[in-house]
Amino acid sequence: MDVTGGTSRESLGKVVEPDLFDGRYALRRVLKRAHGVETRLAVDTRTDAEVVLKTIDTRAVHAATRLRFEHEMRVLRHLRSAGLASLHDSGEIDDRLYLVQPYVAGQTLEARLGSGRLPVADALRIGIDIAEALSVAHEAGIVHRDVKPANVIVEGADPIRAVTLIDFGFARSALLDESVREDLVGTVRYLAPEAAGLLSSTPDERSDLYSVGILLLECISGAPPFPGPGVSDLLRQHLSTPAPSLSDLRPDAPRVLDAILQRLLRKDPVDRYQSAAALRADLEALRAA
């Protein structure tokens, strides 16, 4: 098996077929390499559909990486809904675990925010769609644990037409091996205090909602509410610094939206929204108003 990637090419007058993974997936460009996981764009030669192929070499990664990858393969089978990239295929070949998902057109929210803050209407659309996706995951007993702009794909601009939450590689559920279930994972800038180990509370669905609050405030104001700059600074700010008022950052934003964000960013999980469905309902009511 050759997994080096590439496209069709001519050699000495002969057409050479694209490199195939498992005899089925024509490999295209590398999208990401991190934590021992390689993510590539590919084409399913059976359907001609573009897909995203994630693989790990089980001989070269830590046992925890394998356990989380296997867990991601399992939980994706439960996530079939708009706003989520479902599982297309999975398996193991030549000591490589792999999973395949449909390719989602668009750009990451992180890339979009590189051009500046979003209109309030677009931020509401993002919040509603992420809340809906998280509601499906949470009802299945799955906590994402890494909600951030790099893990959100947006399609269209002025307005944004579609939003997809991706990458359940750090997700937690009852299916995750107990040896890694309580590990601290995620991206510090978007971590709830309890998810960063700063509170005695066990991270749960409300931790994801805190991350949504950070993400939405960044969408609306153009910068995350807690700037750091270092990891220790970020941790201290998550634990004890009040979230900035939206009225100070963007006076044209509705006051109700500020109240929603302040509730999302409460330090104690008990004081936050208790479900993604409740958050979605409030955001939809605000958009309708």
Side-chain angles (χ1 to χ4, degrees), residues 78-99:
H78 300 278
L79 299 177
R80 295 190 176 276
S81 174
L84 292 167
S86 59
L87 186 68
H88 179 78
D89 188 18
S90 64
E92 183 172 5
I93 182 170
D94 295 344
D95 295 308
R96 277 187 177 270
L97 285 173
Y98 70 91
L99 64 85

Side-chain angles (χ1 to χ4, degrees), residues 71 75 135-143 172-175 205:
H71 178 255
V75 299
S135 183
V136 172
H138 293 169
E139 287 175 5
I142 302 163
V143 181
R172 182 184 187 275
S173 80
L175 299 174
E205 293 84 353

